[in-house]
Amino acid sequence: MTRLGVLASGRGSNFQSIIDSIDSGYLYAKVELLITDNPEAFAIERARKSRIPFKIMEPSHYPDRDSYYRAIAEELKKRGVELVILAGFMRVVKKPLIDAYPMRIMNIHPALLPSFPGLHGQRQAVEYGVKISGCTVHFVDEGVDTGPIIVQAAVPVYHDDTEESLSERILMEEHKIYPYAIKLFIEGRLKVDDRRVIILDQKREEDKIINPPLE
Ligand code: GAR
């Protein structure tokens, strides 16, 4: 059973989709620890409800960012975490954590990277006027949303979309592709070749998860 550590800053709906995927048997994994930088995060309630240990770690309690991420890495290692999941963790992860988990940290971003990295990916897409956006699961490197892409899903953008309506449509796909990406990792089917992530032995029906038909 693969040991997961989840980092979340807010609502935690992606965290919940991972919990649900474990509960349903889709993922053979266990969440060993939730770490949040926000004492108000609703993700904490979700952890409580599912009896998942959680830790509130606020950057302001550490002398600098490197010590903050070193402390996070230590907590994760202490619990034997093998894969780190950023689920709405609204911070740029620094070197000490990345070095502790090379190509073992995943992030989900609400846009089709490399378009619209950083904050408010959905708002950026609406304002730019693209006709298709979506979401991306990628491995985390030292850049902002620049790591090797694992899976993506596309959704249409309509002329009357708002940031909220587009976010809702994208979120539905996030909740499918994140568990799928984690499953691929657990099954040992992700091979990182420089910038490219190769999905080994990809099955045709899985293609529908990452390429849902555009409505
Ligand atoms: C999700 O849409 C996720 O893609 C986004 O924050 C939301 C978190 O929702 N993440 C980022 O923008 C990271 N740069 P959740 O807390 O309900 O999972």
Side-chain angles (χ1 to χ4, degrees), residues 18-203:
I18 292 160
I19 295 172
D20 294 345
S21 303
I22 293 172
D23 290 349
S24 73
Y26 179 73
L27 289 181
Y28 188 58
K30 184 172 176 222
V31 181
E32 296 289 342
L33 180 66
L34 166 76
I35 293 178
T36 181
D37 57 341
N38 171 15
E40 311 282 306
F42 188 67
I44 296 171
E45 297 311 314
R46 300 182 192 272
R48 273 207 187 98
K49 198 162 167 245
S50 296
R51 297 201 171 78
I52 293 167
F54 64 89
K55 226 174 153 65
I56 300 166
M57 298 177 74
E58 295 178 74
S60 58
H61 296 170
Y62 297 81
D64 52 44
R65 287 292 183 269
D66 274 6
S67 12
Y68 178 60
Y69 287 102
R70 203 168 300 120
I72 289 181
E74 275 165 21
E75 288 297 333
L76 295 167
K77 291 282 177 188
K78 233 190 325 196
R79 287 169 172 81
V81 166
E82 295 158 280
L83 176 66
V84 182
I85 304 297
L86 307 186
F89 185 65
M90 300 314 233
R91 294 182 179 278
V92 179
V93 169
K94 299 288 181 208
K95 202 169 158 34
L97 180 54
I98 294 167
D99 286 352
Y101 285 96
M103 295 300 143
R104 295 278 182 283
I105 308 174
M106 286 186 186
N107 180 44
I108 189 150
H109 181 75
L112 290 178
L113 292 171
S115 290
F116 314 129
L119 292 176
H120 309 299
Q122 308 95 327
R123 188 192 305 168
Q124 293 184 58
V126 169
E127 283 173 358
Y128 195 94
V130 291
K131 303 298 187 197
I132 295 177
S133 192
C135 46
T136 303
V137 179
H138 63 94
F139 283 119
V140 173
D141 64 10
E142 281 183 64
V144 177
D145 301 322
T146 52
I149 290 171
I150 304 165
V151 287
Q152 295 185 298
V155 306
V157 183
Y158 300 121
H159 67 89
D160 55 355
D161 261 326
T162 59
E163 180 182 0
E164 290 70 32
S165 61
L166 179 60
S167 298
E168 215 173 288
R169 194 174 309 121
I170 290 174
L171 195 65
M172 286 171 60
E173 300 309 322
E174 292 187 35
H175 295 164
K176 294 180 206 157
I177 68 167
Y178 217 175
Y180 172 59
I182 296 167
K183 190 179 177 68
L184 291 172
F185 178 92
I186 291 172
E187 291 174 350
R189 291 171 55 206
L190 296 178
K191 187 166 160 253
V192 184
D193 176 13
D194 194 20
R195 269 223 55 85
R196 296 188 324 133
V197 178
I198 296 155
I199 300 178
L200 304 171
D201 190 25
Q202 187 163 23
K203 300 167 182 74

